[in-house]
Amino acid sequence: MDMDMTDRAAAKAGLGSGAEPAPSVLWKAFRVLGVFSHSRRVLTLAQIVRRSGLPKSTAHRVLTMLLEVGAVEQHSDGYRMGLRMFSFGTLPPEVALRDAALVHLEELHRVTGQTLHLAILRDGDAVYLEKLRSRRHDRSPALVGGRLPAHCTAIGKAMLAYSTEHSVAEVLAAPLERRTTHSLTSPALIRRHLTAIRTDGYAVDREEAVEGMACVAVPVLSGGRPLAAVSVGFAAAAGSGAVLVDPLRRTAAAISRSLLTGSAGRLIATGG
């Protein structure tokens, strides 16, 4: 299973799950916060202890501090993420990107009727900022705020193809998850796919992230580098998805133009 964002941060800092980083209280707080998810919005103390790997006394102490600052709230069934975290979550420039893109995504959704995604690239993953669902067919495993390995998704490959060589090399040097029997895990084969994507201007995955689903994706570029990408997901049995490429290109271009008037695109491009 893919590690969560807390584990990724610890790994990048050279810390294993048993390490004691400094300041340790901050890392412990993020371990507690990191156990909450879309499917685990309310958790008991026992569940938090089990999922975080912290001793019960430590988890309880950290939860008490998080309660005091409003980062978590008590619920009749345990604990849940606090409303204050929602306020913090609206501050990153990615939220401004999502807001700028939404009107264009809604128009594309009206035209296609299929599942749409907006994502950025972080640490070898596609991080999803928005998802508009199809009423007919939605097998997409993507969740807003969630991650999927970039090499297994059209939206991730669309961004990787226009990333720096250093960024691509870092992704391909790490273990490459195989989500389905169709997932690409050969660095050489992935590089050939990225070359084809740069030539064609769009990326495709056929059942690489989830069985039965295909996606077509186009990057949102600024100065030749990817700020984000947009994809359309559909039933793999429905065809190649070639008819979706031009609408996707128009949507990506419209999002790029919208970002030119704001700071979100610059901040995301520079990691600021």
Side-chain angles (χ1 to χ4, degrees), residues 8 83 87 176 191 227 243:
R8 287 181 179 279
L83 189 60
S87 300
L176 298 172
R191 282 190 177 278
L227 298 179
V243 69

Side-chain angles (χ1 to χ4, degrees), residues 130-209:
E130 185 56 87
K131 176 180 178 179
L132 302 181
R133 298 176 183 274
S134 167
R135 293 181 179 178
R136 299 190 300 272
H137 180 275
D138 180 24
R139 297 191 61 184
S140 169
L143 295 171
V144 174
R147 292 171 173 248
L148 288 173
H151 69 281
C152 290
T153 64
I155 206 167
K157 290 188 290 183
M159 292 182 283
L160 275 179
Y162 291 88
S163 296
T164 64
E165 170 56 30
H166 176 73
S167 297
V168 174
E170 279 194 331
V171 171
L172 298 185
L176 298 172
E177 179 183 351
R178 183 184 294 277
R179 290 184 58 88
T180 75
T181 57
H182 302 280
S183 300
L184 305 180
T185 57
S186 162
L189 181 57
I190 292 171
R191 282 190 177 278
R192 289 200 292 273
H193 275 245
L194 299 183
T195 298
I197 291 166
R198 287 191 295 272
T199 299
D200 298 334
Y202 67 93
V204 176
D205 90 65
R206 297 196 64 80
E207 303 184 85
E208 293 171 42

Side-chain angles (χ1 to χ4, degrees), residues 8-77:
R8 287 181 179 279
K12 290 190 75 173
L15 302 165
S17 59
E20 186 69 13
S24 62
V25 66
L26 179 61
W27 285 88
K28 289 170 184 174
F30 271 93
R31 289 210 67 84
V32 169
L33 292 172
V35 302
F36 293 92
S37 69
H38 290 84
S39 60
R40 302 191 298 262
R41 296 180 187 271
V42 178
L43 296 171
T44 64
L45 174 60
Q47 290 171 321
I48 292 170
V49 168
R50 184 171 66 253
R51 295 180 186 278
S52 69
L54 296 172
K56 183 177 180 180
S57 60
T58 301
H60 187 267
R61 185 169 66 251
V62 171
L63 281 166
T64 299
M65 290 187 291
L66 292 173
L67 282 166
E68 289 177 357
V69 299
V72 299
E73 299 174 353
Q74 285 191 306
H75 184 272
S76 59
D77 296 325

Side-chain angles (χ1 to χ4, degrees), residues 103-115:
V103 64
H104 307 295
L105 294 175
E106 288 173 341
E107 174 60 19
L108 182 62
H109 192 247
R110 185 188 66 78
V111 171
T112 66
Q114 302 288 356
T115 298

Side-chain angles (χ1 to χ4, degrees), residues 153-156 158 197 201-205 215-219 229-232 248:
T153 64
I155 206 167
I197 291 166
Y202 67 93
V204 176
D205 90 65
C215 278
V216 178
V218 170
V230 183
S231 74
V232 179
L248 273 168

